[in-house]
Amino acid sequence: MPSTSTTTGRDLDLISDAIDEVNVIKNRIWDAETTFDEFKDKAQFRDYDAACDRVKAFYKEQHDAHRAPAYSSAEKQTVEFNIKARVDFKTKKRARMSVWEAMEKLNTLIDESDPDTSLSQIEHLLQTAEAIRRDGKPEWMQVAGLVHDLGKLLLFFGSQGQWDVVGDTFVVGCKFSDKIIYPDTFVTNPDSRDSVYSTEYGIYTPNCGLDNVMLSWGHDEYLYHVFKDQSTLPEEALAMIRYHSFYPWHREGAYTHLTNEKDIKILAAVRAFNPYDLYSKSDAPCNVAELRPYYQGLIAKFFPPLLDW
Ligand SMILES: O[C@H]1[C@H](O)[C@@H](O)[C@H](O)[C@@H](O)[C@H]1O
Ligand SMILES: [Fe+2]
Ligand SMILES: [Fe+2]
């Protein structure tokens, strides 16, 4: 007679332990693949075709200003919204705190536009700074890496959502470049039907310089304005901060009809910064407590103890 097997309580415990072990291993593999995959190929970064729905939905919302029925062109990335955001920035008081406090405040934010990291922002800032330091780059550049995304604090200062804080930037006030990711999502943005804003030069003159164009409002533009009067960072560092999300320009070569000689010079700095920002996302997470004394020392060299944000 074939022996029949009955499952005992002890068997169930063993099975459950085995399942737990498998899950632990699966999680380790997941972590290794998603957060510090040292072997991630450069071509695998910024793969927006393969990006998850969260990223696609983010850009659709940011670019597509039409929101029926209460339609207003001050919504989403338009000229009207941009002017309003800049006026708000200049006229409103937000917070007073140190650079390190700002980094800690950001710790809860997970960037919806980013297909390459799901780590918190303090981790991303430290990874960027550490990669720059490892390459023996100057202190001011390490600091630029450490602070470059602090503009995402806008999220705590009455932003409309993530669409006016994160994501790549582009010029508003002239034709939306087809070098912007998901260019088709601009079809319902009212500026793409505006008789002036939809033309090659729009409100700008040939080679007027990036200082004179309005970049879409977000963490880069905001932080540049915060730091330009409250730090001793050199011009290159300020350019790295201001243009690091301007991929249509620094990676795709768009907007050369608007740039001038000064921009050609700063482009080199922005390009030198980009690999540290992007590819350090697959490095192992940093030990925040261990690195803190070193970076607080650097912060003290370039910033006052408290800043107006
Ligand atoms: O999703 C990312 C993220 O928001 C970055 O902070 C920004 O600099 C990049 O340009 C963007 O693509
Ligand atoms: Fe950024
Ligand atoms: Fe970044």
Side-chain angles (χ1 to χ4, degrees), residues 46 48 59 111-115 121 124 148-149 152 165-169 181 219-220 244-247 277 281:
R46 292 179 59 82
Y48 289 95
Y59 278 108
D111 185 331
E112 285 171 6
S113 70
D114 200 328
Q121 293 296 304
H124 169 57
H148 76 281
D149 272 338
K152 294 179 186 175
V165 179
V166 300
D168 284 6
T169 55
I181 35 179
H219 66 291
D220 302 33
H244 75 270
S245 305
F246 194 18
Y247 279 81
D277 180 14
K281 288 175 184 173

Side-chain angles (χ1 to χ4, degrees), residues 142-302:
Q142 297 173 34
V143 173
L146 185 73
V147 299
H148 76 281
D149 272 338
L150 282 183
K152 294 179 186 175
L153 277 181
L154 273 178
L155 262 187
F156 303 100
F157 300 148
S159 72
Q160 315 265 318
Q162 289 212 5
W163 67 265
D164 54 342
V165 179
V166 300
D168 284 6
T169 55
F170 47 88
V171 179
V172 298
C174 69
K175 191 170 181 266
F176 294 118
S177 166
D178 58 8
K179 300 288 188 213
I180 306 169
I181 35 179
Y182 306 130
D184 298 344
T185 51
F186 285 102
V187 279
T188 44
N189 186 308
D191 286 6
S192 58
R193 287 187 305 277
D194 185 279
S195 59
V196 177
Y197 306 154
S198 63
T199 61
E200 194 68 358
Y201 286 93
I203 54 177
Y204 308 114
T205 50
N207 304 106
C208 58
L210 291 181
D211 274 338
N212 297 308
V213 309
M214 289 194 293
L215 278 191
S216 51
W217 181 256
H219 66 291
D220 302 33
E221 194 60 9
Y222 159 74
L223 193 67
Y224 164 75
H225 287 286
V226 169
F227 284 167
K228 81 175 168 24
D229 304 321
Q230 297 185 91
S231 77
T232 55
L233 287 172
E235 192 183 31
E236 289 92 330
L238 292 174
M240 290 169 181
I241 289 166
R242 191 177 198 180
Y243 300 115
H244 75 270
S245 305
F246 194 18
Y247 279 81
W249 174 61
H250 69 66
R251 176 171 285 204
E252 303 295 333
Y255 299 113
T256 48
H257 59 303
L258 299 178
T259 54
N260 63 14
E261 299 247 306
K262 179 185 168 197
D263 301 324
I264 296 171
K265 262 203 250 146
I266 59 165
L267 177 60
V270 178
R271 283 196 171 148
F273 178 77
N274 178 252
Y276 297 108
D277 180 14
L278 184 56
Y279 303 127
S280 68
K281 288 175 184 173
S282 61
D283 293 350
C286 299
N287 183 327
V288 180
E290 231 171 62
L291 294 175
R292 183 178 172 152
Y294 174 74
Y295 284 108
Q296 284 214 296
L298 283 196
I299 289 168
K301 291 189 184 179
F302 294 92

Side-chain angles (χ1 to χ4, degrees), residues 5 10 30 39 56 59 69 79 148 156 190 216 253 263 268 282 307:
S5 62
R10 189 174 142 64
W30 187 87
F39 305 110
K56 289 184 175 152
Y59 278 108
V79 169
H148 76 281
F156 303 100
S216 51
D263 301 324
S282 61
L307 285 81

